[in-house]
Amino acid sequence: MYSSSVRTRCSNNLWYSTRRCLAGSSESPKPFKQIPGPRGPLGLGNLYQYIPGIGKYSFDALHVCGRDKYEKYGPIVRETMVPGQDIVWLYDPQDIAAVLNDKTPGIYPSRRSHTALAKYRRDRPNVYRTAGLLATNGIEWWKIRSELQKGLSSPQSVRNFLPLTDKVTREFVANMKTTDSDCAPDFMPAISRLNLELICLMAFDVRLDSFSEEQMKPNSLSSRLMESAEATNQSILPTDQGFQLWKYFETPAYRKLRKAQEFMEKTAVELVSQKLLYFDEDQQKMASGRHRSRSLLEEYLRNPNLELHDIIGMAADLLLAGVHTSSYTTAFALYHLCLNPDAQDKLYQEACKILPDPWECQIDAAALNSEATYCRAVLKESLRLNPISIGVGRILNNDAVLGGYHVPKGTVIVTQNLISCRQEKYFKNASKFIPERWMRDTKENVNPHLVLPFGHGMRSCIARRMAEQNMLVLLLRLIRSYEIDWVGRVPMGIETKLINQPDQPINISFRSRQL
């Protein structure tokens, strides 16, 4: 019934997926070339459809493109961007699982992403040893990932930063001002400054004072770091797709990325150099018990398996990836809480139990892990509706059968989790914000490969636990102290600048709650 050649080419988990796809059928897998999808005129590629003012698609609205392709072609789509450059989009969780669960011995999960960033860093071997976690693949990637994740991913390391996170967040909330619907400024810059402050404190043991009058100026360090991270993210998709002419001469998109990265690199080198300068003094303070727990940078500097080039690269990656991902996710969660007052009230009741006095009480690890169950459900539901990315990218390690088609090794795969998570076939009342669907007593039976906001497996977000902890603390403290209402447009849409961001200002009114 099944082709032996397919079985020998696929890993075990892909073979079982193949059996599921072909169960009850005597047909062999259909050829790759038969996968439905847009090829462009005369097979010259579909990239022209993404040119502003010419095509019907947009890199700034990949979720709209993805929904359109699903409706036209079905749960597996092959899109030819330019001749020889295909992307296979997956919507079915069974196919997604088959790709992401591939654990071929000796082969690490790979993806094609941040290719221009990789060029920038490889052109500067005096600063970087590799292209970093975002752009590197294979054993080179695993060597640095396995060392860097010790400080960022271990539960105990993350818990050690909770007192700092809670202290800075409490200061942030205490200094907020009440607003009404007539004067509700964009809250997004404030959220971004909070996350930048937390990252620099936890990673480098540095307070930027991002909310000071000086740092609020356009040319301040804080403002330029946030601007550079945003500029880099906006440059990734235009440089990843298409003919990649930036490999031969400097295109506008590459120039934008280069200038942004030069500033972030300069800042990362200065922060690492500053820590090196005072490293011995800090070690003496820690030995005498006069210093708090180590920053991430201190942990990395003490690791004999990491070179200084690796640490500088990680510092730059933290500044790039850590600010806007958490900020946009928090903004979407606040938007949903504004539009769902019952959910906001339930979160407020939970926050009151954890923080009877919002200014005197602290959030400890035990409370966050065992008592903040509804807050976690709110965050999970917001991430279902508004994940930080469209889906997960991979390069196939082996031949596979996906959706009944033979897909060869080396094919670029991108999952379409954002589209799938909004389908009634997978979630009841899929378009509604219902945190209760994630509570233990009312939890729905959900395929685990549908909601993947932090990626999956070995290539999942290295700072997931840290990001979740920071966002949970902010949601608890904010809703404990303020009642919030949305005064912007409804519904709020998405812009896909590599990471998904709100398409409008975060206009929220804040009213102080009674203690």
Side-chain angles (χ1 to χ4, degrees):
M1 178 181 288
Y2 309 110
S3 168
S4 61
S5 62
V6 171
R7 182 171 188 173
T8 55
R9 285 196 301 264
C10 296
S11 61
N12 287 338
N13 52 338
L14 292 178
W15 167 241
Y16 290 127
S17 176
T18 302
R19 294 187 63 184
R20 286 196 302 270
C21 292
L22 301 179
S25 171
S26 59
E27 297 181 2
S28 298
K30 299 175 185 177
F32 177 72
K33 65 181 181 180
Q34 292 184 12
I35 299 177
R39 307 282 193 272
L42 303 176
L44 296 178
N46 207 46
L47 185 63
Y48 80 100
Q49 290 282 17
Y50 294 84
I51 299 176
I54 297 177
K56 64 177 181 177
Y57 291 154
S58 170
F59 287 125
D60 291 345
L62 288 179
H63 60 301
V64 177
C65 310
R67 185 171 60 247
D68 178 75
K69 293 166 194 170
Y70 176 78
E71 292 172 353
K72 285 185 176 180
Y73 303 110
I76 180 170
V77 179
R78 172 189 163 209
E79 182 172 17
T80 301
M81 300 303 292
V82 296
Q85 189 182 107
D86 290 311
I87 299 176
V88 172
W89 308 93
L90 296 181
Y91 300 81
D92 189 301
Q94 297 294 333
D95 290 333
I96 294 173
V99 172
L100 299 184
N101 287 340
D102 180 12
K103 297 181 176 63
T104 305
I107 298 179
Y108 300 97
S110 300
R111 63 184 186 184
R112 191 192 72 192
S113 181
H114 295 75
T115 50
L117 178 63
K119 170 181 164 47
Y120 172 81
R121 292 187 175 178
R122 287 175 179 142
D123 286 347
R124 300 175 65 77
N126 59 314
V127 181
Y128 306 100
R129 187 174 67 88
T130 71
L133 287 178
L134 297 172
T136 306
N137 289 314
I139 187 64
E140 183 183 41
W141 164 81
W142 176 244
K143 284 180 178 178
I144 54 175
R145 165 82 188 212
S146 60
E147 297 298 332
L148 292 172
Q149 69 184 7
K150 295 175 183 177
L152 271 170
S153 299
S154 76
Q156 185 56 52
S157 295
V158 173
R159 283 194 294 268
N160 288 340
F161 288 109
L162 179 56
L164 277 176
T165 298
D166 191 39
K167 178 178 182 295
V168 174
T169 305
R170 180 169 48 178
E171 292 175 5
F172 170 78
V173 174
N175 290 324
M176 287 177 54
K177 298 178 181 179
T178 58
T179 60
D180 56 40
S181 58
D182 295 326
C183 58
D186 186 6
F187 192 49
M188 179 60 76
I191 303 173
S192 298
R193 288 182 178 277
L194 171 63
N195 282 307
L196 177 62
E197 192 76 8
L198 289 173
I199 287 169
C200 288
L201 183 57
M202 292 183 290
F204 312 116
D205 194 17
V206 169
R207 288 295 301 261
L208 293 186
D209 296 323
S210 301
F211 299 98
S212 66
E213 184 177 347
E214 186 66 26
Q215 288 297 313
M216 296 287 281
K217 295 179 180 178
N219 289 325
S220 69
L221 176 60
S222 297
S223 298
R224 291 191 64 189
L225 279 173
M226 292 188 294
E227 180 184 337
S228 296
E230 186 172 10
T232 301
N233 285 329
Q234 291 177 355
S235 304
I236 296 301
L237 284 177
T239 52
D240 274 350
Q241 304 300 336
F243 293 102
Q244 299 188 335
L245 298 178
W246 49 265
K247 292 181 178 180
Y248 310 103
F249 59 88
E250 188 170 80
T251 62
Y254 185 83
R255 184 181 304 113
K256 182 178 180 179
L257 180 145
R258 175 182 60 78
K259 290 182 176 180
Q261 278 299 295
E262 284 175 348
F263 181 76
M264 301 192 80
E265 174 190 295
K266 176 177 177 289
T267 304
V269 170
E270 289 176 351
L271 289 170
V272 173
S273 300
Q274 179 179 330
K275 180 55 65 177
L276 279 172
L277 185 63
Y278 297 104
F279 188 62
D280 291 338
E281 180 182 341
D282 287 343
Q283 293 296 99
Q284 293 173 6
K285 288 181 180 180
M286 289 175 60
S288 62
R290 294 185 289 114
H291 195 65
R292 64 171 179 81
S293 59
R294 302 186 187 107
S295 66
L296 291 171
L297 190 54
E298 289 172 287
E299 294 285 357
Y300 294 151
L301 288 171
R302 290 169 58 87
N303 188 334
N305 297 321
L306 288 173
E307 298 180 12
L308 190 58
H309 295 71
D310 299 322
I311 297 172
I312 291 173
M314 186 58 188
D317 284 343
L318 283 171
L319 293 171
L320 170 61
V323 177
H324 293 303
T325 50
S326 295
S327 300
Y328 296 151
T329 299
T330 302
F332 282 120
L334 293 175
Y335 165 78
H336 290 300
L337 287 169
C338 285
L339 267 56
N340 294 272
D342 289 344
Q344 185 180 155
D345 185 63
K346 289 180 181 180
L347 180 55
Y348 171 66
Q349 298 300 326
E350 182 174 89
C352 286
K353 294 178 182 178
I354 296 173
L355 295 166
D357 187 318
W359 311 121
E360 297 298 328
C361 295
Q362 297 181 355
I363 299 177
D364 58 30
L368 199 63
N369 290 334
S370 62
E371 298 178 40
T373 54
Y374 194 75
C375 190
R376 290 184 182 276
V378 164
L379 183 58
K380 183 96 180 238
E381 179 69 348
S382 182
L383 285 167
R384 177 184 72 84
L385 289 169
N386 296 106
I388 200 59
S389 65
I390 291 293
V392 181
R394 286 289 186 270
I395 300 173
L396 276 186
N397 288 332
N398 300 279
D399 289 3
V401 175
L402 304 172
Y405 297 90
H406 175 264
V407 183
K409 174 182 177 180
T411 302
V412 174
I413 303 290
V414 180
T415 67
Q416 287 280 313
N417 296 79
L418 188 153
I419 307 302
S420 299
C421 282
R422 291 177 174 232
Q423 293 181 11
E424 290 290 330
K425 65 188 295 185
Y426 300 124
F427 293 93
K428 299 177 182 177
N429 299 310
S431 62
K432 294 184 178 180
F433 180 77
I434 308 174
E436 287 75 13
R437 71 172 88 242
W438 303 108
M439 299 293 288
R440 178 173 297 179
D441 294 340
T442 54
K443 190 171 183 178
E444 298 178 12
N445 185 21
V446 176
N447 187 298
H449 291 89
L450 279 170
V451 183
L452 301 173
F454 296 96
H456 181 274
M458 296 172 69
R459 286 210 82 127
S460 62
C461 174
I462 194 173
R464 170 179 181 167
R465 288 192 174 95
M466 194 82 74
E468 285 182 318
Q469 179 170 279
N470 292 352
M471 290 187 287
L472 290 171
V473 169
L474 177 58
L475 290 175
L476 285 168
R477 285 210 168 271
L478 200 58
I479 300 304
R480 174 63 180 90
S481 299
Y482 293 96
E483 185 177 355
I484 61 175
D485 290 299
W486 183 254
V487 296
R489 298 194 317 271
V490 177
M492 181 167 69
I494 301 170
E495 288 186 355
T496 52
K497 305 286 189 178
L498 178 66
I499 55 178
N500 297 328
Q501 64 186 60
D503 69 345
Q504 61 174 295
I506 306 302
N507 296 128
I508 296 175
S509 66
F510 294 90
R511 297 192 303 276
S512 294
R513 299 183 186 270
Q514 299 296 322
L515 292 180

